Each structure stands twice: as C-alpha cells, then as structure tokens.
Amino acid sequence: MNYYEQHQADFLEGLKTFLRIPSISTLSENKPDMRRAAEFAVNELRAAGMTVAELIEGEGESNPLVYAEWLGAPGKPTILFYGHYDVQPPDPLDEWKSPPFEPEVRGDNIYARGACDDKGQVYIQIKAVEGLLKTAGKLPVNVKFLLEGEEETGGEHIEAYVKTRPPRLKADAAVVCDTEMFAPELPTICVGLRGMVYYELFVQGADHDLHSGVYGGAAPNPILAIAEILCALKDRAGRIQVPGFYDSVEPPSAKERAAWASLPFDEKEYTEKEMGAKELVGEPGVPLFERVWARPTVEIHGIRGGFTGEGAKTVIPARAVAKISTRLVASQTVDASVKLMQAAVKAACPRGVTAELKVLHAGEPSLTNPDNPFIHAAAEALKETFGKETVYIRSGGSIPIVGVFDRYLGIPSVMMGFGLPDDNLHAPNEKFHLPNFYRGIQAVARYLEILGR
Amino acid sequence: MNYYEQHQADFLEGLKTFLRIPSISTLSENKPDMRRAAEFAVNELRAAGMTVAELIEGEGESNPLVYAEWLGAPGKPTILFYGHYDVQPPDPLDEWKSPPFEPEVRGDNIYARGACDDKGQVYIQIKAVEGLLKTAGKLPVNVKFLLEGEEETGGEHIEAYVKTRPPRLKADAAVVCDTEMFAPELPTICVGLRGMVYYELFVQGADHDLHSGVYGGAAPNPILAIAEILCALKDRAGRIQVPGFYDSVEPPSAKERAAWASLPFDEKEYTEKEMGAKELVGEPGVPLFERVWARPTVEIHGIRGGFTGEGAKTVIPARAVAKISTRLVASQTVDASVKLMQAAVKAACPRGVTAELKVLHAGEPSLTNPDNPFIHAAAEALKETFGKETVYIRSGGSIPIVGVFDRYLGIPSVMMGFGLPDDNLHAPNEKFHLPNFYRGIQAVARYLEILGR
C-alpha cells in the first residue's frame, strides 16, 4: 500500500471535520463559520508541508482568501490550485435524509452540504500535495493554493484581488477541482463553462396590500405582473425571448458536437433517476448537451409574494419578488446581456406596477483550447488512475474565476473534477462518491509528477 | 343625552377588549382565541339583556357559532342579526403602525385587526339592542343573533348548520353589518355581493431541487410553469381568458348603471390616496364600479417557490405554489366556475410539470331586489341618523352567508354596513371610523324601532 491507500481513514475523518463547518456564504449569520473554514484549510495546508499557508484578509465584510505555497522546484512549472471553502445554503432542510452539516457515510458516498461542491475537491488537492511531501519530502513542481470563501455569492473579492495581478499568484496554469466526471469511472476534463448573471426582480403595485373583494378588477396585482414579466423572457417552448440574447452565441464546432454525441449516455436514466423528472424540456431542435453546455438560459430560482401561509387570505399584495439568473456562453458578455435583460423587463412590465431588475452578481463564460501541455498532462494522469481514456466536455455551471485567471494572470485553467452527475449539488442530500475522493487524490498527485518529468 | 350618547366611552372600551383577542381563524395556533372571542360575544349578548345567549358547538375542530334571542314582541317581525367574530391574519406585521391586537385610537379612528371587519360592526348590533333593552326594557321587534367564527376561512360550518333549517333560525329578514358606506357621511345599503372560490395551485417539476448550471436548459422549472399557468388565466389587458367564464354573467340594469354613474366619486383620490396605486387596471371599456361590483375576477393572493432568502441560490426548485381566487357574480355558480378553472389550468400546464388546482373554500354570489319593506326601513333609519338620502350599491366582496340565508331560510338580507372605503380591510393598519361606530349603533336601534311601528 502506498501513502494514499494507507491514509484513507485519516482523509475521511479530516473531510468530515471540514464538512461540519456550516460555511454558508450567502447567510450573514454564518459569518464566523466562514473564518473557521478558512482557518481549517490553512492549518491543513501547513500540516501538509506547504512552506507558506496564511489568510489574505479582504476589505470590510469579505471572507478571507487562503493562500499557500511550496516553491522548492526551481526550473519546474508552477501550478496554482483553486477551490472554494464556502457552500450553498442547505434548504429545504426537511428533504435531507441526514443533517446537512453532520456528514454521514452511507454505502460508497459521504452525504453533507459541500461534500462535492467544493470541500471534498479542495481536500483532494491538499491531500495530494501532503502525500508527495510526506513521502518524497518535496514536490515535483512548484505549487500554490488560492482558496476563496465567496464562490457561491459571486466571488467578488477574489476577482478584485486577482485583478491587481499580485506577484505571488504568478503561475503557469491553474488547476480547478470543482467540476464533475461525465459518468462514473469516466475520467473527464472540462474545457468550457457558462457564465452567469444573478438578478433580483422587484415588482411593486399599490403601496399597501388591498382587499381583493373591494379592489379586485381595478387594482394592479404584482404577482400576476411578475408572472407576465417572467413569461415574456422565455416562450413556452423554452426559447429565450429577450431580443438579441442569442446574437453573440458561438455554436460548438462540428468536432465537439460529434464528440458529445458519442458520449455514453442513457437519457431515460438521466431524466428519471438523476433529475427525477418526467421529461426533458428546453429549446426545440437543440441536442441536450448543447442545451446545457453551450446555450444560454433564463431560470427562475425563487419567487415570493403575498400570503403563502396556511389557509386563505384574500389580499392583493403590494409587491412580489423573484430571483432570476441567466447563464451565458462564449462569446456573450455580462455587460451586454444585462442591458438586454433590463430592456426586456422594462418592455414586459404591465400597467399599474413598477419593476426593478437588480444584478446581485455576475461572471463571464469561458472556453479553453484543450491543446496545451497542462491539459494533456491532466488527461494522462486521469487515464492512468482511472484506467480509461479521458473525455473532454463542457459544464453548464459557472466558475467565474476561470475567466479571471485567463484575463488577468494569462494562464489556462485545467478543470479536473471528481464529482458525479447525481451528487445533488445545490440540492438536498448532496454527496461525494468516496472512491472518486480517494482516486482524485492519487490522480492529482500523479498529475504533479507528470508535470515534473 | 340619550343612552347611546352617554355610553360611548363604555362602548369603546368594550370594543377594545373584543379587538384584543387575536381570533385569526386561518391559523390553527389561534384556536383557543376563537373560543375566547365567541365567549366574549355570548357574555356581551347576555349582559345586553338577550334572554338566550349561548354557543352552538359544531363538529370536530370547528369554531362555535354564537346564538342569542329575545322573542318578547309577539306579532312583530323577527330580525336575525349576522356577523363574524373571526379576523384575517395580520401579516405583513412590520407594516402596522401599532400592533394589530393592541387597539389604538388615533384621531377619529380605532386601529386594530378586525376593527371594521367585523368585530366593530358586530359590536354595533349588540350595543344597539342593549340600548333599547336598558332604556325601554324591551325590543320593538323579535331579535335573534347568529355569529360565526369562520367567515374568513369560508364559513363551511355555519353553512352546514343553516342548511339544516333549524327552527330557532326562523326569521323575516337578516341584517348583515359587514359592508361599507360608499363615502363618509353617505348612508349606504349593499344589494349585491360577489361570490368567491379560493384555490391553491400546486406545480411540481422534478422530484428534487436541481442545480441550474448543470440542468438549466433541460429541466422543467415549476416557477416559470406556474407563471405560465397564471398568465393563461388572464390577458395583459385584464380580461379573464378562462374559456366560458363570462358566459353566465348578468349585466347590471340600465337603472343601476345610471345610479352608479351618479355616485359622488373622485377617481384620482380613490386611486392614489385610498389604494396607493399609480393607475387603475382591469377590463378595458368596463366602468370602474361595474368592474369591482358586477364582473368576475381572477386574482393571485400569494406565490412561493424555490429560494427566496438573502442573497443567491442557483437552484431549479422542485415545486411552486400559488393562492388564487375567482370572484363570481350573478348568475355564475361555484360548481360551474370550478370546472372551467380546472379545465383552463389543465390546458395551460406546460410540458415537464404537473399542476393541481385545489378548492379551499367557496361561496355563491348574491343579488337582492331592493324593493322590500326590510330594506326600505333600513334606508329610512340610515337617512334619519346620517341626515342624507341612502344610496344603493353592490360590494365586490363576498359574504357567502347571504346566499345561504336566501336559499335555505328564504329570507332577504339587509346589508347595512358602516365601514369606510379606506378602512384597510385584510391589510395592515385596519381601522374603524369612530363616528360611524357610534352612529351605526343608533342607526341599527332606529331600524328596529321603525320595523316595530
């Protein structure tokens, strides 16, 4: 048994400790947990043998960045590991089979908020480095870590920091472990990410709630108004109706389309088991992987207005609010898309109400050319560890830092992820497949060895 | 000073005690308060001098009815007073200037949940009878009371009770004090009420929440789906789009339309001050009073789905729910309208989701012919008390018991109400105009005297 096989129980215990910290970045009451999670990562990095491991404090209420380095391989490339220690809120709480911050192993999986997204994968990076340092006493390449605590809230502060091009972030490539494998046992590298703009839409009718008997037929209803605005953004078939929204969308190449079409895939299983849905929807005539990886979306994440308690209240409410996002693909840009959305909401706003569309956070889409040595080495390491040819896919999710690294540090990002499609990211019963956790650690270590040859 | 003028301070204190009981019938945690409010009314009726005053217990979890009688005027007509001791929920709580169950007098008004709807008006009936009994030792006509505690939740139990045609409810007319005056100082009798069906609409997509990055473009979104269904029920101009919904609507007579057109009315004041709105909406080409009194509506009272907390969560939720009502007018019927609504929701339900429309409660519309002696006497009593000619209007609200009295007891209802248009029924800062409270007591007493002539 090598170091990695010998220490699986320790790795699991360490991960559980990390997962017990409810580092929910969207909730202000969890502020102290953010710092606890960051300090946990610093301590782990120091214990792993990194020569520097410290917090980088940001301005005001920001969550600290975690920085670490080991630079004892002169002449060798420098790799910058990126991950995030913050997690999504766990609600709806009553749908979790075990509490979200009390990690539980059931079968081959560990269940907890953040198990896969992204604490489990951050821990893979740390433990890979630890194994090399504990056994060889050194790393085959130079390694830096930059972890953030605001990925789930838009990553504003890490972006501001990277934009200053700090000398300590100088590197040849970034390694991002925050994506998923296309299928169990199928090593996967992600080369494209959708961008995102997250909005809040406020609609205001009268300045106070009104009795629907007395005023129904004359009073503006902000709930119906917000429904009308939402329906104007997308038609019933699934096509975005925001004028101009598709104009700058780059279609995937014929080669990429052909590769996607040959991926092993069971649509019935995906629809019914993984999603738990009756049928797939979306733009007519566009293949599934293109819809979720290479086409923009408009989604509604939440809506609230009026009386939603037990029983009946015959009120015409004064206001309603919805949370909306658009996913963007190359070569759409955040700024242009926001202008189009704001114009569309304005045009769709019915009489008698006012509508305000506010941007909460945003990130640009990114698309990486897979023909570079850092991605080739990753494909080789994954193939060796998993025993299968590595496939290239895109992800429909958004990791804004990838575009930021490209633009401000001039480095490509290698997206080597170990999640699985049914890991319930952002949903109840998030899990991480433990065989992938252990193999992920070995694959990342092997990657560093290949780069150091 | 007569009895009524002498006892204004007592009446106000008694009303405050009644208003302090949070008898919210829609909330199960307020169950004990329902009984406290009913017992308060029984004690007041007994103290007023009614010979019988007692609770009528219903089945299971129902709130008791309050029954009282004084039958010492043989040969004279019998009047059945109706009112309700339950109130609407007070939310949104943070918009109240004083707490909803701590009545506060500011200027000429008393502010509290139920001040006008309907505890203040129930108290008018009780105190009118008390004054006559305390001063003359008898009433000019026979009087019965039937108060309920479920008006705001649909009045299912009082309806079931009245349907059995209990002998003790035998009467010549009902007097309902639960409507409003058209304008301050303008005595008003209401001769038409809209009916209502209150629904909950559930829409289910996948069986669990999904990550919008991973599945956006393929997963059904129940929030957008519920928005699509709501928009299919009504067009942007305000016309109901449920096929057949207007078919059995009786237009008001030319005489009624002319009377409404001559009511004193300032549309700008109504829109901006009373409603706090920018402009009126609703069916194009239909005059305002016809829209709110004589046309059916579809209104959305509440909506909830997905993540609505602080910040951002990129989830495609599994379900969404909305509270909806339709107001009905003569000669629409509850049963026929429910069938039309269910067919419309089914037809509008988009792919990938299921929709269920559930009826929470319902009441038929009613329209009374004003040419009867009980209404003539009321018009006379109001004119004497307020010093102005009484006007006849309809109300857009729903008081299902009026149709039930008509159908099962064969008696007309005299709707003599003392609320004002800006009393904020069902909304924060509900109030009752104290001059109307005191004059209402005298008008009801005078009404009984006129009937006893």
Side-chain angles (χ1 to χ4, degrees), chain B residues 337-369:
Chain B
S337 75
V338 169
K339 283 197 186 75
L340 296 175
M341 280 288 285
Q342 280 171 335
V345 165
K346 193 175 169 192
C349 182
R351 283 202 310 135
V353 303
T354 53
E356 189 199 356
L357 185 69
K358 203 175 130 190
V359 174
L360 291 195
H361 64 76
E364 304 286 354
S366 69
L367 196 54
T368 305
N369 183 344

Side-chain angles (χ1 to χ4, degrees), chain A residues 139-433:
Chain A
L139 296 176
V141 294
N142 301 296
V143 167
K144 297 176 176 180
F145 277 82
L146 185 65
L147 311 178
E148 69 163 317
E150 299 175 0
E151 199 269 349
E152 304 293 3
T153 55
E156 188 194 334
H157 288 97
I158 194 173
E159 186 172 334
Y161 177 67
V162 174
K163 277 182 177 172
T164 66
R165 299 182 170 86
R168 65 184 350 191
L169 293 191
K170 201 171 166 348
D172 297 292
V175 171
V176 174
C177 297
D178 194 17
T179 53
E180 64 185 32
M181 293 165 63
F182 183 77
E185 316 292 324
L186 191 63
T188 305
I189 291 175
C190 175
V191 297
L193 293 165
R194 291 197 284 198
M196 176 168 64
V197 185
Y198 200 102
Y199 300 93
E200 254 176 350
L201 173 61
F202 297 90
V203 173
Q204 176 84 37
D207 64 10
H208 59 283
D209 289 0
L210 294 168
H211 187 303
S212 72
V214 179
Y215 299 103
N221 188 316
I223 298 179
L224 192 59
I226 210 166
E228 285 169 358
I229 294 170
L230 298 179
C231 289
L233 301 178
K234 207 174 183 181
D235 70 13
R236 288 178 61 97
R239 287 179 213 93
I240 296 170
Q241 296 296 296
V242 177
F245 210 74
Y246 290 117
D247 287 358
S248 50
V249 170
E250 277 179 44
S253 68
K255 189 181 152 194
E256 213 171 4
R257 277 199 179 120
W260 296 349
S262 69
L263 287 167
F265 184 68
D266 180 337
E267 186 170 306
K268 190 175 154 69
E269 171 102 4
Y270 171 82
T271 307
E272 295 175 7
K273 292 247 171 87
E274 182 180 325
M275 290 175 55
K278 288 192 310 170
E279 60 182 317
L280 300 181
V281 300
E283 277 182 281
V286 180
L288 175 63
F289 299 133
E290 191 167 339
R291 294 211 301 281
V292 296
W293 293 342
R295 297 290 288 174
T297 64
V298 171
E299 288 295 344
I300 325 300
H301 306 295
I303 193 164
R304 190 187 64 228
F307 179 75
T308 58
E310 183 189 357
K313 185 164 189 272
T314 51
V315 72
I316 299 177
R319 65 192 64 82
V321 58
K323 308 239 184 191
I324 303 174
S325 79
T326 57
R327 300 273 169 178
L328 307 177
V329 299
S331 299
Q332 292 181 293
T333 65
V334 167
D335 286 353
S337 75
V338 169
K339 284 196 186 76
L340 296 175
M341 279 287 285
Q342 280 172 334
V345 165
K346 193 175 169 191
C349 182
R351 284 202 311 135
V353 303
T354 53
E356 190 199 355
L357 185 70
K358 203 175 128 189
V359 174
L360 291 195
H361 64 75
E364 304 287 354
S366 69
L367 196 54
T368 305
N369 182 343
D371 282 332
N372 81 62
F374 296 98
I375 287 187
H376 291 164
E380 187 182 336
L382 289 170
K383 184 182 170 185
E384 279 185 31
T385 310
F386 287 87
K388 275 195 185 168
E389 205 63 54
T390 300
V391 298
Y392 295 92
I393 66 167
R394 296 198 203 174
S395 164
S398 304
I399 309 178
I401 199 66
V402 169
V404 175
F405 285 159
D406 177 29
R407 189 154 168 198
Y408 297 98
L409 304 183
I411 58 175
S413 288
V414 179
M415 286 180 274
M416 199 178 353
F418 303 98
L420 285 181
D422 64 350
D423 276 349
N424 294 323
L425 307 194
H426 294 208
N429 305 306
E430 179 178 346
K431 70 171 179 66
F432 196 29
H433 190 54

Side-chain angles (χ1 to χ4, degrees), chain A residues 26-29 88-89 91-92 95 113 152 180 194 196 198 200 205-221 223-224 227-228 230-231 234-236 270 273-283 288 291-292 297 299-317 319 323 325 327 347-354 360-361 396-397 421 424-428, chain B residues 26-29 88-89 91-92 95 113 152 180 194 196 198 200 205-221 223-224 227-228 230-231 234-236 270 273-283 288 291-292 297 299-317 319 323 325 327 347-354 360-361 396-397 421 424-428:
Chain A
T26 53
L27 302 181
S28 45
E29 69 258 36
Q88 281 274 316
D91 47 308
E95 296 185 16
R113 172 57 84 229
E152 304 293 3
E180 64 185 32
R194 291 197 284 198
M196 176 168 64
Y198 200 102
E200 254 176 350
D207 64 10
H208 59 283
D209 289 0
L210 294 168
H211 187 303
S212 72
V214 179
Y215 299 103
N221 188 316
I223 298 179
L224 192 59
E228 285 169 358
L230 298 179
C231 289
K234 207 174 183 181
D235 70 13
R236 288 178 61 97
Y270 171 82
K273 292 247 171 87
E274 182 180 325
M275 290 175 55
K278 288 192 310 170
E279 60 182 317
L280 300 181
V281 300
E283 277 182 281
L288 175 63
R291 294 211 301 281
V292 296
T297 64
E299 288 295 344
I300 325 300
H301 306 295
I303 193 164
R304 190 187 64 228
F307 179 75
T308 58
E310 183 189 357
K313 185 164 189 272
T314 51
V315 72
I316 299 177
R319 65 192 64 82
K323 308 239 184 191
S325 79
R327 300 273 169 178
C349 182
R351 284 202 311 135
V353 303
T354 53
L360 291 195
H361 64 75
N424 294 323
L425 307 194
H426 294 208
Chain B
T26 52
L27 302 182
S28 45
E29 69 257 36
Q88 281 274 316
D91 47 307
E95 296 185 16
R113 171 58 84 228
E152 304 293 4
E180 64 185 32
R194 291 196 283 197
M196 176 168 65
Y198 199 103
E200 255 176 350
D207 65 9
H208 60 283
D209 289 0
L210 294 167
H211 187 303
S212 72
V214 179
Y215 299 103
N221 188 315
I223 299 179
L224 192 59
E228 285 169 358
L230 298 178
C231 289
K234 208 174 183 181
D235 70 13
R236 288 178 62 96
Y270 171 83
K273 291 246 171 87
E274 183 180 325
M275 290 175 54
K278 288 191 311 171
E279 60 182 317
L280 300 182
V281 300
E283 277 182 280
L288 174 63
R291 294 210 301 280
V292 296
T297 64
E299 288 294 345
I300 324 301
H301 306 296
I303 193 164
R304 190 187 65 228
F307 178 74
T308 58
E310 183 188 356
K313 185 164 189 272
T314 51
V315 73
I316 299 177
R319 65 192 65 83
K323 308 238 184 190
S325 79
R327 300 274 170 178
C349 182
R351 283 202 310 135
V353 303
T354 53
L360 291 195
H361 64 76
N424 294 323
L425 307 194
H426 294 209

Side-chain angles (χ1 to χ4, degrees), chain B residues 123-144:
Chain B
Y123 212 61
I124 281 175
Q125 298 171 333
I126 298 174
K127 294 294 137 176
V129 167
E130 175 188 298
L132 293 170
L133 284 167
K134 297 290 179 200
T135 52
K138 62 190 176 82
L139 297 176
V141 294
N142 301 296
V143 167
K144 298 175 176 180

